[in-house]
Amino acid sequence: NEEPSTQGSGAIMEESIQCQVCAERMLGHIISCTAGHSVCTDCHGKLAQPKRCPQCRVPFPASRNRTLEDVVSKFTFACEHGCGKVAQPAELLAHQFQCDRAPIECPKCGQSIQPADLKHHLDSVHLSSEEDRDIALTEKVGAKFKTNTMILLAGNVSTFEEIEHIFLFDGPVKQSAYIKAILLDCGAWHFRVFHVMKELKFTMSFGKNSDASFMGKTESLRCLKGWNPHHTSKRSRHTGVLVFKDMLSALCDPGEDEPGWVQMDMTFG
């Protein structure tokens, strides 16, 4: 990867805005002690109480160095992931979160991995495991990828409150999709569909005859990290699909041994 650099500022600016703790560039809020030593806001938040400057040990309240922040905001910097993007701090920070070269976490094991390598990782490490039955391959039909699976909404012992499935796209493409759903207090399942490489349109259908269908667009898998599965805020409900539990229960295949299964069909592309 390319070394991050600035345009029109030289190496002196890079060294001047390094956090005293993590040594990363401070492109967001900058916290300074009374002696002028600075750390990024993330590292300041992690300092043990009572907070003291890691360099001179003086008390270290959360006082922003707005003068330095203003100076830094006037320069342009290169993306830390080496993709070639150059922008001012506010734009660059937003870009780096979504950068195609930024590592992501495997939704199964949490390992940090490059997006282009996730499909191979899931295929080679998790798909072969008998415990990971929630990973499926899709079939390419024309320009779209299609698959169907059975999701368990209730069993003989307990009622489930979370659902997750991973779909690996067939063929040489390095794309995959991840679906997670949680049961809300209002009695609806909140399904969210995440992509790894690029945004996709999807159609989600339930029932053997596609009795209920929903359409939408995928979100970046990086958005999953900030989603608390035990507390879905009203703000996050505008993403994904809300499906009421009673409707899905009516579509369940009664089965002989294990009632509570419903067919879910997914089409991407």
Side-chain angles (χ1 to χ4, degrees):
N1 291 348
E2 301 175 12
E3 288 296 324
S5 61
T6 60
Q7 288 191 344
S9 60
I12 294 178
M13 171 58 74
E14 286 283 348
E15 296 173 0
S16 299
I17 62 171
Q18 281 187 345
C19 172
Q20 298 289 329
V21 177
C22 66
E24 297 291 336
R25 298 173 299 175
M26 298 182 292
L27 302 182
H29 292 173
I30 301 172
I31 312 298
S32 295
C33 74
T34 54
H37 304 125
S38 300
V39 300
C40 66
T41 187
D42 288 341
C43 287
H44 183 270
K46 296 174 184 177
L47 292 176
Q49 296 287 356
K51 296 183 185 294
R52 292 187 176 275
C53 174
Q55 189 161 342
C56 67
R57 307 306 299 168
V58 300
F60 206 178
S63 299
R64 287 174 58 186
N65 189 333
R66 298 179 185 273
T67 300
L68 183 54
E69 290 177 10
D70 185 59
V71 171
V72 173
S73 70
K74 292 178 169 57
F75 288 87
T76 56
F77 300 84
C79 174
E80 66 182 5
H81 304 299
C83 70
K85 173 77 172 181
V86 176
Q88 291 179 312
E91 180 184 352
L92 188 63
L93 289 173
H95 159 79
Q96 287 180 164
F97 177 73
Q98 301 283 355
C99 180
D100 290 341
R101 294 194 182 186
I104 58 175
E105 290 185 2
C106 170
K108 295 297 297 180
C109 64
Q111 178 179 333
S112 180
I113 194 168
Q114 286 294 319
D117 299 329
L118 181 60
K119 178 184 174 183
H120 175 72
H121 168 80
L122 290 167
D123 191 8
S124 60
V125 176
H126 298 294
L127 187 60
S128 58
S129 171
E130 292 185 359
E131 297 180 357
D132 290 319
R133 300 180 183 275
D134 50 7
I135 302 178
L137 291 172
T138 66
E139 178 185 3
K140 189 172 184 180
V141 181
K144 299 181 182 294
F145 290 88
K146 298 184 177 183
T147 187
N148 65 71
T149 187
M150 299 295 289
I151 58 174
L152 182 60
L153 300 178
N156 290 332
V157 178
S158 64
T159 298
F160 294 86
E161 295 184 350
E162 294 187 24
I163 299 170
E164 67 174 2
H165 275 275
I166 298 174
F167 300 105
L168 307 183
F169 289 18
D170 191 23
V173 296
K174 297 180 179 180
Q175 182 67 281
S176 52
Y178 175 71
I179 295 177
K180 189 175 183 71
I182 63 172
L183 184 60
L184 305 179
D185 292 338
C186 65
W189 283 97
H190 183 191
F191 284 85
R192 292 177 70 179
V193 187
F194 304 91
H195 63 262
V196 176
M197 298 295 292
K198 64 179 181 179
E199 183 182 272
L200 299 162
K201 293 181 179 179
F202 70 84
T203 300
M204 176 188 298
S205 302
F206 297 96
K208 291 183 177 180
N209 300 312
S210 297
D211 303 276
S213 297
F214 306 87
M215 294 185 292
K217 293 182 179 180
T218 58
E219 310 169 62
S220 169
L221 185 60
R222 293 178 179 85
C223 297
L224 175 64
K225 191 172 183 179
W227 188 27
N228 185 338
H230 301 293
H231 179 261
T232 299
S233 66
K234 292 182 179 179
R235 180 179 299 179
S236 73
R237 294 182 192 179
H238 75 279
T239 60
V241 173
L242 287 178
V243 186
F244 280 93
K245 179 182 178 181
D246 291 345
M247 184 192 73
L248 290 183
S249 297
L251 298 176
C252 282
D253 184 349
E256 296 182 0
D257 302 320
E258 187 75 25
W261 292 88
V262 63
Q263 180 170 316
M264 179 176 69
D265 297 299
M266 293 296 303
T267 301
F268 297 96

